[in-house]
Amino acid sequence: MGREAVAKAFADIRAALAVLNAEVDGCGAKPFSAADPLAGLADGNLDILAGAKEAEAGLAGLKARAAIKYADTAHALAPEMPARAQEMAIAAEIGAVLAIGPRAASTFLATSDALDTTLPLTLSALQSGTISWQHALALAEEAATLDPAGAAALEAHFLDPDTPRAATAATIGEIPAHRLRHKARTWRERHHAESIEKRHTKGVADRRVEYRPDQDGMAWLSAYLPAHQAMAGWNRLNALARAAQGPDEPRTLTQIRADDFAEAILTSGSNPAHSSAIRAQVLVTVPVFSLTGETDEPAMLDGFGPIPASMARDLVANGADSFHRVLVDPRDGAPLEIGRTSYRVTKAMRNWLRLRDGKCPFPGCNNPSLDNEADHLLAWQHGGTTGISNLGQPCPKHHKLRHSSGWTPTPATTNEPPGWTSPSGRHYKSEHQDWEPPHWPETVISALPPHLKPRERHKGQAHRPPPCTSMPTEPGGHADLLHRPLSLAEVELERFFDSSG
């Protein structure tokens, strides 16, 4: 059939597009709903969007396979051509066909080759419409610096159906690609063959400030800094900007941040209106054995991601009082204890929400937890409690959306954020945190009794142990997260803290 089959298949696609375009306007043979045409048209267009998303992914997978097959045949047709010249010629041909530049064509070819040779689960998910091209691109870029085994483990973690996942957790295709990129980068940092300490040392040596002119008399000034410095500076700018807001302040939060930044670098930054007492509170989640120096496993900086253990130890030990230490259970990686300075119930509960959700839980929102607001899922006046499982932390925009539209959050638990139901009745699952069991030093493993030893790892992950007694029960607004009996493992962890100061 050859070219005739290809031509007919694309003619069928164009015919299908004509049908779908008619349905978008409600001009099909039958209305979506005879009883309520307007509501039916609205719901029908959401169905079209969902189907188009799946079809686009399938076509992206087809394009990737076609590009690689063309490259293979071009190599075979001209084996005597120098390799570099052949690569340029292939990229130029594909760029011309797709009407993209040579650099974009080379990037497309490199990603397609990675999907074809080292990321089969990703390519399969793309072809089936489960994930988009942007999802596949995120996985390919994060896998690019891993060895074959690491790349296989990365995509297995996110796409292997045998990887355990909570029933309430959104699948990879149900979260935006930029959120997958964050998750994949976090996984890569934890599992990279080269330690994060070595890679961070290289990054610190490359720190710099960059200036780039822009249009309309404007320019960009940016800095490449160690994560804790950049995060602390960003959070302080946010805290100063929020403090400056008020009924007589005409500037937006974004404008105030820019003005404060300019003032800080152009003057001594000693404006008396900006109290030095204003500072952001940041959570540093660190495995206990990393904190004590037994391992160099990465810690997690709230709002950023993995950081070197040495950076976390420095933040905790050297008077960085804007940073609160969070201890994680060595058996399953779940949060165990929020730093010794956070004993007030309201503060502990707010910090627990930040740990549970990591960001605004609204679908696709990337707003970090520091800017978000505690909100009752079931309203207080309707019988809702002030417990963790009845609290969410939407950002100001989605907090307002929840109370001014038909978007409603669904139930949560102490360790699972709420999902959301839209005005159309569609349900969107929540994005869950990727807690992982931390590494145990051999000296500790050998000293533990058998029932406390960590289990064997499978596909790069440790089998999750039975429900952990260290996870706090529903606080209900009456008890501190720490006021409960300690397990034997926790007693041992307390000894580590006591000995490490």
Side-chain angles (χ1 to χ4, degrees), residues 209 221-223 233 237 240 255-267 274:
V209 175
L221 183 64
S222 59
L237 282 173
L240 290 169
Q255 291 169 339
I256 299 172
R257 273 198 302 257
D259 292 344
D260 286 344
F261 176 75
E263 179 186 2
I265 62 174
L266 296 175
T267 70
H274 292 169

Side-chain angles (χ1 to χ4, degrees), residues 186-192 298 300 306 434-436 439:
T186 298
W187 190 98
R188 171 189 171 276
E189 296 286 14
R190 288 170 174 162
H191 298 272
H192 201 289
M300 293 291 291
D434 291 329
W435 301 113
E436 290 188 22
H439 300 297

Side-chain angles (χ1 to χ4, degrees), residues 33 105 138 153 164 173 176 180 188 200 221 230 268 301 306 308 337 415 417-418 429 451 453:
S33 171
L180 171 59
R188 171 189 171 276
H200 177 66
L221 183 64
S268 63
L301 182 61
E337 176 248 295
N415 58 1
K429 294 180 179 180
H451 70 283
K453 293 182 185 293

Side-chain angles (χ1 to χ4, degrees), residues 234-256:
W234 173 251
N235 287 337
R236 178 166 171 77
L237 282 173
N238 280 326
L240 290 169
R242 283 193 295 268
Q245 285 186 307
D248 299 324
E249 175 53 71
R251 295 174 299 172
T252 66
L253 193 69
T254 300
Q255 291 169 339
I256 299 172

Side-chain angles (χ1 to χ4, degrees), residues 289 293-296 438-449 453-457 496:
F289 298 123
E294 300 284 330
T295 70
D296 283 324
H439 300 297
W440 287 59
E442 290 299 328
T443 54
V444 174
I445 294 176
S446 60
L448 287 175
K453 293 182 185 293
R455 300 189 180 184
E456 293 293 325
R457 291 184 175 254
F496 270 105

Side-chain angles (χ1 to χ4, degrees), residues 235 279-283 302 321-324 347 354 370:
N235 287 337
R279 60 176 181 271
Q281 301 297 309
V282 182
L283 300 181
D302 182 45
D321 56 358
S322 289
F323 295 84
H324 287 291
K347 191 171 185 179
R354 292 170 62 186
L370 186 67

Side-chain angles (χ1 to χ4, degrees), residues 29 93 119 134 136 221 223 228 230 242 252-253 268 296 326 357 361 382 398 418 420 425 432 463 471 481 485 489:
E93 182 80 37
L119 298 171
Q134 293 303 319
L221 183 64
H228 69 297
R242 283 193 295 268
T252 66
L253 193 69
S268 63
D296 283 324
V326 179
D357 300 356
H382 296 152
H398 292 121
W420 288 78
H432 286 196
H463 291 300
M471 286 293 287
L481 294 172

Side-chain angles (χ1 to χ4, degrees), residues 91-144:
E93 182 80 37
I94 290 176
V97 168
L98 297 179
I100 57 178
R103 181 176 298 179
S106 296
T107 300
F108 170 68
L109 266 172
T111 304
S112 300
D113 182 66
L115 297 178
D116 185 62
T117 57
T118 61
L119 298 171
L121 293 179
T122 306
L123 179 58
S124 177
L126 181 65
Q127 290 178 292
S128 68
T130 305
I131 64 173
S132 70
W133 173 256
Q134 293 303 319
H135 288 84
L137 182 62
L139 288 175
E141 289 180 351
E142 294 303 324

